[in-house]
Amino acid sequence: MTLSKKIFLLLILPALFINAAHSQTINWASLGKEQRHIAHAHAGFDYAFVYGVGYSRQLLSPIPILATIDFSTPVGNKVLDDFKTKIGGVADLCEFNNFHLSASVYGIYRRYENPMAVLQNFGSEFKGVFGFYQSKWFVAAEFGFDKAIVTHFEHSDAFKENYPEVKNGWYQPATGGNFSYGVQTGLSFDGVDALFRIGKVVTQDFKSSPTIPFYAEFGTNIKINR
Amino acid sequence: MFTVSIFSGCQDELDINDSGNLVPKTVDLDPSLPSVSLNNALFHAEAFGPADGPLVVVLHGGPGSDYRYLLNCREFASQGYRVVFYDQRGTGLSQRFPKSHYTMQVAYDDLSGIISHYRTDPNQKVFLLGHSWGAMLASAYINQYPTAIDGAILAEPGGLIWKDVKDYITRSRKFKYLGESLNDAVYADQFVTGKTDQHAILDYKFMLLTSKESSEIGNEGSLQEWRGGAVTFDAYLEIGDKQKPDWTTNLNKYTTQVLFIYSANNKAYGLQHAQKVSAPYPSVKLFKTEGAGHDMLSFPTGWSNTYPAMLDYLNSLK
């Protein structure tokens, strides 16, 4: 095993076992300081039809901050050939008159496999959310940027039949990037948020879109008192 | 970023923008490839058979594929035909251009240029052999210049009016929204994106997206290709959607019989669609290729079942 493979495993395996978090869809007005643990589940279109689970822990801090992990995978016949893990945090930066501005930062590890290639990527996601929050409901606008920073390409024999000279390895500069913008809303009751978010995805040059140029997800948060 | 730094330090990272890494170089970057220069563009092109033989110009599908999957057609060279292959503008190993560059007239002019380049005598007969989009282009060319072509073999053109094309695409691209095929096609969108002039990235991604063909079209396996043309594909799809072309308006003037091929295993095509699409031609010989799907000219069973009919057709007109 080469050094790079060992480092790879050291970095990746924890992420796989930890799993990770649906991002930043939180009703800040209904989140109590004593609710330290939040379990997430979500499903919908996010590049493909995906479902996922996650966990957030509210930190003891002057402003509400959640440390979050999330894992999602597309529905399909093959389990775990495609998936995305995210780890990061979200902070409720400021509040005035029931309006909240929050921001999140995530590190991403994701994998894609089809008959031609296996792609493994490290990336990042930044998101800002601004909206109106009440204890029973909220509605907010969100804007995000998902950057695929460095990607490893490994090609199958089927691909090499077409192009034997293809070069496997880590590729830079950044191999991709997509902006997203949309709305999120939710209802809150008895320590549970029922969530929905929908929006559009455009590539980083604003001139084209992914094959499925939108996202739409249902989700739920279950908030647990410590 | 820590992670990225570690990975960057472990191996020499490759540049995703460079042709030759994930996709092969085009003729303007690799002088060793066979090429033809015309209409201010460099085309990946080659010809087989006697230079003075009747020309059979092979038009590949897509738009955005290349002629590699049609190389079985070289067999006509052994029968005295001059078989001409070229990757259409912006696809395969031909030179890349911006999306705004593409029009149907550009495609016609390129085909006229290819014919002129390989034609050694004004009396040398010219046949078009088009597959899928290539058969649509052949028909569009005949519709534009009804006296320029001495015969045509048309293998499963999606349609000659845009509505027929859209209907066929819809039938042939059935995806299960919860299936693996959809993931294979779309999940990579978050890994690789390219700007409009980053052809190497766009073409690679295009090849990933199109690597999984729908089972509806009945192929025996995966097609061989050199390099897809993502911008070309987008450009012609946009032209179709905006202009809703009708390539049948002058076909009544083309009285030469055309050989119209459809396949037994393509569930999205069939006799009914073949009759509908070929109807504008005054004289049509319909031929059904048994034991094959949409790419009947690429796989052994389809080729061996179709070649004799195509050769008979060409011999009857040469």
Side-chain angles (χ1 to χ4, degrees):
Chain A
M1 185 180 286
T2 63
L3 176 62
S4 60
K5 282 183 179 172
K6 284 179 183 173
I7 295 171
F8 173 82
L9 290 174
L10 284 172
L11 289 170
I12 296 308
L13 286 178
L16 288 177
F17 287 113
I18 287 169
N19 285 347
H22 184 41
S23 41
Q24 184 190 350
T25 313
I26 297 285
N27 186 350
W28 295 108
S30 73
L31 181 65
K33 278 191 176 296
E34 74 288 357
Q35 293 173 315
R36 300 286 303 283
H37 307 280
I38 303 172
H40 311 265
H42 56 97
F45 271 105
D46 182 16
Y47 296 103
F49 191 86
V50 302
Y51 60 97
V53 293
Y55 167 76
S56 294
R57 180 176 173 85
Q58 187 175 189
L59 305 182
L60 295 170
S61 51
I63 60 171
I65 297 177
L66 303 179
T68 298
I69 54 175
D70 184 88
F71 174 85
S72 64
T73 185
V75 175
N77 305 334
K78 297 178 185 171
V79 179
L80 298 185
D81 63 328
D82 309 313
F83 63 83
K84 177 160 65 177
T85 61
K86 299 201 291 188
I87 183 163
V90 52
D92 186 18
L93 298 176
C94 58
E95 180 215 348
F96 56 97
N97 294 337
N98 297 109
F99 286 92
H100 290 250
L101 175 66
S102 61
S104 60
V105 181
Y106 293 95
I108 296 175
Y109 168 69
R110 52 195 151 195
R111 185 183 191 275
Y112 163 81
E113 179 175 353
N114 83 349
M116 291 288 155
V118 175
L119 276 56
Q120 297 177 81
N121 166 261
F122 288 95
S124 60
E125 181 185 287
F126 303 93
K127 186 176 284 183
V129 176
F130 179 72
F132 184 75
Y133 292 78
Q134 295 270 297
S135 59
K136 298 291 185 187
W137 63 277
F138 72 94
V139 61
E142 63 180 22
F143 182 85
F145 182 51
D146 175 350
K147 188 75 175 172
I149 296 171
V150 60
T151 301
H152 187 269
F153 291 74
E154 181 81 31
H155 294 88
S156 67
D157 290 342
F159 190 95
K160 289 175 183 172
E161 278 181 27
N162 274 337
Y163 183 39
E165 294 82 15
V166 66
K167 294 182 177 70
N168 293 332
W170 290 97
Y171 276 77
Q172 285 187 307
T175 51
N178 293 313
F179 287 100
S180 62
Y181 55 92
V183 294
Q184 53 177 248
T185 186
L187 297 172
S188 301
F189 48 90
D190 298 334
V192 175
D193 295 336
L195 309 163
F196 179 65
R197 50 192 288 270
I198 189 168
K200 188 161 173 51
V201 185
V202 293
T203 56
Q204 57 191 347
D205 66 351
F206 291 104
K207 291 180 179 173
S208 57
S209 300
T211 312
I212 297 177
F214 64 87
Y215 61 90
E217 278 192 325
F218 290 97
T220 185
N221 295 333
I222 300 172
K223 292 170 277 192
I224 304 164
N225 294 350
R226 60 180 163 177
Chain B
M1 293 310 294
F2 170 72
T3 304
V4 173
S5 302
I6 286 181
F7 278 95
S8 301
C10 288
Q11 294 175 310
D12 292 334
E13 64 267 17
L14 299 155
D15 191 325
I16 194 167
N17 296 323
D18 283 353
S19 287
N21 285 342
L22 293 175
V23 291
K25 292 178 179 177
T26 47
V27 283
D28 47 316
L29 301 173
D30 184 354
S32 69
L33 294 168
S35 65
V36 169
S37 177
L38 54 91
N39 297 344
N40 298 314
L42 205 57
F43 291 85
H44 179 226
E46 57 191 326
F48 301 87
D52 59 350
L55 282 185
V56 177
V57 181
V58 178
L59 298 169
H60 64 72
S65 188
D66 60 48
Y67 70 75
R68 185 176 179 183
Y69 78 98
L70 291 171
L71 282 170
N72 281 338
C73 298
R74 282 178 296 196
E75 197 166 337
F76 292 116
S78 64
Q79 300 298 319
Y81 292 92
R82 178 69 161 166
V83 187
V84 175
F85 297 92
Y86 76 104
D87 288 340
Q88 293 158 29
R89 181 179 294 253
T91 190
L93 302 181
S94 290
Q95 187 180 353
R96 295 311 194 250
F97 291 91
K99 191 175 177 180
S100 59
H101 201 81
Y102 295 90
T103 65
M104 286 307 296
Q105 190 59 50
V106 166
Y108 302 151
D109 292 345
D110 289 345
L111 178 51
S112 296
I114 289 287
I115 291 169
S116 298
H117 179 86
Y118 285 102
R119 203 175 200 179
T120 56
D121 184 296
N123 295 319
Q124 194 174 8
K125 291 199 169 179
V126 178
F127 303 108
L128 299 182
L129 193 170
H131 171 258
S132 195
W133 153 254
M136 292 161 60
L137 176 57
S139 283
Y141 189 85
I142 291 168
N143 189 60
Q144 189 79 359
Y145 309 111
T147 61
I149 299 299
D150 298 292
I153 298 171
L154 308 172
E156 291 195 350
L160 305 184
I161 60 174
W162 194 244
K163 183 181 181 308
D164 289 348
V165 177
K166 296 285 278 186
D167 289 347
Y168 173 66
I169 290 173
T170 302
R171 287 198 303 274
S172 63
R173 301 267 182 236
K174 281 183 183 169
F175 277 116
K176 293 177 182 171
Y177 282 98
L178 304 183
E180 193 66 35
S181 297
L182 183 70
N183 304 339
D184 287 346
V186 302
Y187 202 65
D189 276 333
Q190 60 192 301
F191 292 74
V192 185
T193 58
K195 296 177 181 173
T196 51
D197 59 346
Q198 293 178 317
H199 294 282
I201 301 173
L202 296 174
D203 293 348
Y204 176 79
K205 188 177 166 189
F206 180 68
M207 292 167 76
L208 286 185
L209 295 180
T210 56
S211 63
K212 180 73 175 177
E213 290 186 300
S214 167
S215 60
E216 295 295 311
I217 65 173
N219 278 346
E220 293 172 47
S222 296
L223 285 180
Q224 291 218 312
E225 63 177 341
W226 285 297
R227 174 172 168 175
V231 171
T232 307
F233 175 80
D234 274 351
Y236 283 113
L237 217 60
E238 192 172 297
I239 287 170
D241 275 334
K242 282 184 178 172
Q243 299 178 3
K244 308 278 188 295
D246 179 351
W247 295 310
T248 67
T249 51
N250 288 322
L251 291 184
N252 61 335
K253 297 174 186 168
Y254 191 72
T255 53
T256 305
Q257 187 183 60
V258 298
L259 177 63
F260 197 102
I261 299 166
Y262 68 104
S263 63
N265 294 349
N266 185 352
K267 297 174 198 166
Y269 214 91
L271 175 61
Q272 195 177 357
H273 192 65
Q275 288 172 327
K276 183 180 181 182
V277 174
S278 64
Y281 281 103
S283 179
V284 179
K285 182 177 183 180
L286 279 177
F287 179 82
K288 180 181 182 181
T289 299
E290 298 291 347
H294 181 62
D295 294 294
M296 76 294 282
L297 305 181
S298 304
F299 299 103
T301 307
W303 177 253
S304 61
N305 288 345
T306 314
Y307 174 69
M310 293 192 291
L311 186 60
D312 286 348
Y313 171 78
L314 292 172
N315 285 343
S316 71
L317 294 173
K318 76 176 180 182

